[in-house]
Amino acid sequence: MTLGTPTEVPAEQVHAKSIIVIHPGSLNLRIGRASDLNPLTTLHAIARRRLPGGIQYRDSFLPERVDPNLIQELEEARLAVSHTLQSCLQSDGRRRYATPPQQIAAFNRRSQPELVNNSGGEWIKPEGDVVIGNDILRLDPKQDFNIHFPYKRGDLNVHSGSGGSLTAVMADLEAIWSYILETNFQISKKDLKFHKAVLIVPDVYNRTYLRELMYLVISKIGFGHCFLVQDHVAATFGSGLSYACVIDVGDQKTSVSCVEDGICHQNTRVRLDYGGGDITQIFFWLLQKCAFPYKECRDKNKLDTMLLRKLKEDFCHVNLDICGSQEKSFVLKQPDMPVYHFTIQVGDECIIAPLSLFSPELFAITGTKLIHTQKISTGDPEDPHDEIYLRDIRKKGMKESLDTANADLLNDTYLDNQQNNPNEDDIVVDAMDPVVPTSIREFVTNPGQILGLDQAVLQSIDRCPNEEIKRKMYGCILVVGGGMKFSGIGTWLQNRISLQIPYLYRAEQLDIVTNPRDMDPSMVAWKGACIMSCLETAHELWINAEEWEKFGVRILRERAPFTW
Ligand SMILES: Nc1ncnc2c1ncn2[C@@H]1O[C@H](COP(=O)(O)OP(=O)(O)OP(=O)(O)O)[C@@H](O)[C@H]1O
């Protein structure tokens, strides 16, 4: 074998260049070649020009807020967190102190914005009828465009409103992804068949959606090969961990599950309807309570939502050594408006908002929250040999062999009654196939309450199949996604979990991994999928276009790197 000259690109790199890894989110889309260092990150949305007389529809940029004055528990929850913080100690052992919100409000009321410039620029002038990604932010709201986010709360945004059918959502995804492949990666439609796609899917998935996504990637967009990978599995690959209890806090969802050697244990999966966007709404409410000086700020205005998001990212933290009021400033720059510089004071509001992950009553601000767990498959009419069929024939086969065995025993007169002859329903097929549970224990909360992050972790680990795995998971918790990027929150999580770990597992050292390999936690799953796609063993996972067309969902079930 001759060594290549330095100008020659190694074969695996050529291979990695032809693989596109797609990680779709409720706010952001991350997409890039498996050979890239970082993915392209853009707003995962599409604006379509409304037809004359068409229905106006715009998905909100932040989870919609319920009137906070109508929710009494909200104020109680805020006070409870505030009191907890006051009873905490700083790292040098001194007690924490807080500036009363009234005092902060008095400063903010007096604070006058300074004019910096007479114009914050101009809106873009769209040439076509479709605008994709970040450009939507520069689209004049007076223009007759509808705005759709194809993902919401961590899964497809299928709804009963305009553009909410599964077909419409798929058409939006096709338009967004195809456009980015062509404009940002210069891959023309006809060349896509020479490319492979890895699509990151939620841990708690809907089988119909996965089938539609596969159809989209191969049959509609036109990739030559594809495989699907669950986000938490990808996250463990990205962080180089062989097992972990994974927490993924995105913009609109928080998911938890236990992953071991590339398998995400089915019973441990849970997805909760809150994330960074809800924390932004809580922070906005807290700012308003202390006389936020940008009084015209509205959560219906997309640029205001982006400003609020940025204020949360810049100001919020869980550093108990920061006490009292802090002076902060920000610039308000929006097209067709003068540019202003604001100075404000903030106090424990900056800590209370992120801590809502542990005091989830605060999330009532964005309405009722659901708990999603993995549903047992109810079969697929397109797949006559689905897992239910396989389970049934296994049952039948087992019954037949038991019958034969019993007949033999009866002939030998060892058995004189039917007591030991199990009827069909008594046969526990899942004992043979531990990955297909007959029932899923629901995650528990008190009636009307929302499951907090620490509770979700503890309950997820408690659902692991055996003590050994539980012990491992109590020792390693991996945090990914952008929604929990607050300094100090890992320590808070560690304290909360350590206090509640069952006595039996306490001896274990608990590692909370928040920045695996010094990587941005919101990119870990994307990176992990890149690594997976380049492994030699990945060749078993790829499904090519001919196979997909011939076998459909059956090949997906057989080859998916997770229990279907
Ligand atoms: N430095 C930061 N500090 C705090 N929050 C941050 C920071 N950077 C990003 N975020 C938050 O992370 C969230 C986006 O995370 P991510 O991109 O993982 O979500 P997503 O994949 O689009 O959504 P989802 O996983 O809910 O479908 C936003 O709420 C954003 O404000």
Side-chain angles (χ1 to χ4, degrees), residues 332-444:
L332 172 70
K333 183 171 184 276
Q334 296 186 359
D336 279 356
M337 258 182 62
V339 181
Y340 289 107
H341 179 270
F342 285 83
T343 305
I344 61 166
Q345 271 193 4
V346 281
D348 276 354
E349 292 73 30
C350 300
I351 311 188
I352 296 173
L355 289 187
S356 48
L357 290 166
F358 305 94
S359 297
E361 307 77 42
L362 286 164
F363 288 128
I365 199 164
T366 46
T368 321
K369 302 282 171 290
L370 295 176
I371 299 178
H372 307 266
T373 49
Q374 188 65 60
K375 298 283 170 291
I376 298 168
S377 169
T378 48
D380 188 328
E382 278 190 26
D383 183 9
H385 297 104
D386 62 15
E387 61 286 4
I388 293 181
Y389 168 81
L390 293 177
R391 210 170 354 161
D392 285 350
I393 56 165
R394 240 178 279 164
K395 255 189 189 178
K396 206 167 149 232
M398 201 166 142
K399 185 175 183 299
E400 274 162 14
S401 34
L402 277 167
D403 285 348
T404 320
N406 283 337
D408 290 349
L409 286 170
L410 278 171
N411 287 344
D412 291 347
T413 63
Y414 281 116
L415 259 182
D416 55 2
N417 62 43
Q418 290 290 303
Q419 252 185 354
N420 293 341
N421 189 3
N423 72 34
E424 190 179 354
D425 291 337
D426 290 334
I427 301 167
V428 184
V429 179
D430 292 333
M432 301 188 307
D433 188 358
V435 289
V436 187
T438 41
S439 68
I440 289 178
R441 266 164 67 204
E442 288 301 329
F443 280 69
V444 286

Side-chain angles (χ1 to χ4, degrees), residues 79-376:
L79 280 171
V81 182
S82 181
H83 289 153
T84 307
L85 286 173
Q86 281 173 44
S87 64
C88 287
L89 300 177
Q90 300 181 51
S91 56
D92 59 6
R94 282 187 302 158
R95 219 182 171 76
R96 290 194 77 250
Y97 58 91
T99 308
Q102 301 84 323
Q103 196 177 318
I104 295 179
F107 175 95
N108 289 340
R109 242 177 246 119
R110 284 195 305 273
S111 167
Q112 290 297 323
E114 283 168 49
L115 182 70
V116 178
N117 198 316
N118 283 326
S119 169
E122 289 183 4
W123 298 107
I124 52 161
K125 295 189 177 52
E127 280 163 15
D129 292 336
V130 173
V131 180
I132 281 166
N134 291 345
D135 283 347
I136 296 174
L137 295 171
R138 294 168 51 233
L139 190 62
D140 189 344
K142 288 193 223 76
Q143 296 255 0
D144 53 349
F145 276 80
N146 283 351
I147 299 178
H148 303 274
F149 280 81
Y151 274 66
K152 185 178 181 180
R153 296 272 178 222
D155 212 339
L156 294 184
N157 184 11
V158 175
H159 56 86
S160 54
S162 172
S165 68
L166 185 55
T167 317
V169 171
M170 287 296 154
D172 286 345
L173 288 174
E174 183 184 353
I176 300 172
W177 298 354
S178 303
Y179 171 86
I180 290 175
L181 288 166
E182 197 146 352
T183 47
N184 296 80
F185 296 93
Q186 286 79 43
I187 308 174
S188 64
K189 180 128 184 114
K190 67 175 177 25
D191 286 338
L192 277 171
K193 56 179 175 296
F194 306 115
H195 288 77
K196 299 176 173 185
V198 181
L199 181 62
I200 301 180
V201 296
D203 262 68
V204 176
Y205 52 80
N206 173 324
R207 292 172 182 83
T208 310
Y209 291 176
L210 295 197
R211 191 184 62 202
E212 290 300 312
L213 285 166
M214 196 68 193
Y215 176 70
L216 170 73
V217 170
I218 290 199
S219 310
K220 301 287 279 184
I221 297 182
F223 277 102
H225 292 72
C226 177
F227 76 78
L228 309 181
V229 57
Q230 288 173 295
D231 48 11
H232 290 194
V233 173
T236 54
F237 270 89
S239 52
L241 296 169
S242 60
Y243 63 86
C245 171
V246 183
I247 300 175
D248 177 357
V249 184
D251 186 63
Q252 297 177 16
K253 65 103 212 305
T254 292
S255 52
V256 179
S257 77
C258 296
V259 181
E260 193 197 15
D261 298 328
I263 299 292
C264 171
H265 291 290
Q266 185 161 329
N267 269 340
T268 67
R269 294 179 212 158
V270 65
R271 186 171 73 231
L272 307 162
D273 280 349
Y274 56 75
D278 304 82
I279 298 177
T280 307
Q281 278 286 21
I282 292 168
F283 190 51
F284 181 32
W285 171 62
L286 296 173
L287 288 177
Q288 284 179 318
K289 284 180 90 65
C290 37
F292 187 46
Y294 171 29
K295 295 190 196 68
E296 297 75 26
C297 186
R298 296 284 172 269
D299 63 352
K300 297 269 179 290
N301 173 333
K302 61 184 178 215
L303 293 182
D304 284 351
T305 68
M306 291 324 248
L307 172 74
L308 288 169
R309 202 167 253 134
K310 177 142 180 19
L311 296 186
K312 171 199 70 176
E313 292 169 10
D314 292 350
F315 300 168
C316 288
H317 60 86
V318 187
N319 179 349
L320 299 182
D321 287 347
I322 300 177
C323 307
S325 61
Q326 312 287 313
E327 209 164 288
K328 304 272 181 192
S329 65
F330 66 91
V331 172
L332 172 70
K333 183 171 184 276
Q334 296 186 359
D336 279 356
M337 258 182 62
V339 181
Y340 289 107
H341 179 270
F342 285 83
T343 305
I344 61 166
Q345 271 193 4
V346 281
D348 276 354
E349 292 73 30
C350 300
I351 311 188
I352 296 173
L355 289 187
S356 48
L357 290 166
F358 305 94
S359 297
E361 307 77 42
L362 286 164
F363 288 128
I365 199 164
T366 46
T368 321
K369 302 282 171 290
L370 295 176
I371 299 178
H372 307 266
T373 49
Q374 188 65 60
K375 298 283 170 291
I376 298 168

Side-chain angles (χ1 to χ4, degrees), residues 41-111:
T41 304
T42 187
L43 194 72
H44 198 196
I46 183 167
R48 292 181 183 276
R49 199 184 290 277
R50 211 172 303 132
L51 295 171
I55 303 167
Q56 179 170 338
Y57 180 88
R58 281 178 187 166
D59 275 319
S60 55
F61 280 66
L62 271 185
E64 285 186 44
R65 172 156 110 161
V66 180
D67 181 356
N69 299 320
L70 298 180
I71 319 168
Q72 205 200 333
E73 309 87 69
L74 215 54
E75 185 55 20
E76 286 165 16
R78 182 191 73 82
L79 280 171
V81 182
S82 181
H83 289 153
T84 307
L85 286 173
Q86 281 173 44
S87 64
C88 287
L89 300 177
Q90 300 181 51
S91 56
D92 59 6
R94 282 187 302 158
R95 219 182 171 76
R96 290 194 77 250
Y97 58 91
T99 308
Q102 301 84 323
Q103 196 177 318
I104 295 179
F107 175 95
N108 289 340
R109 242 177 246 119
R110 284 195 305 273
S111 167

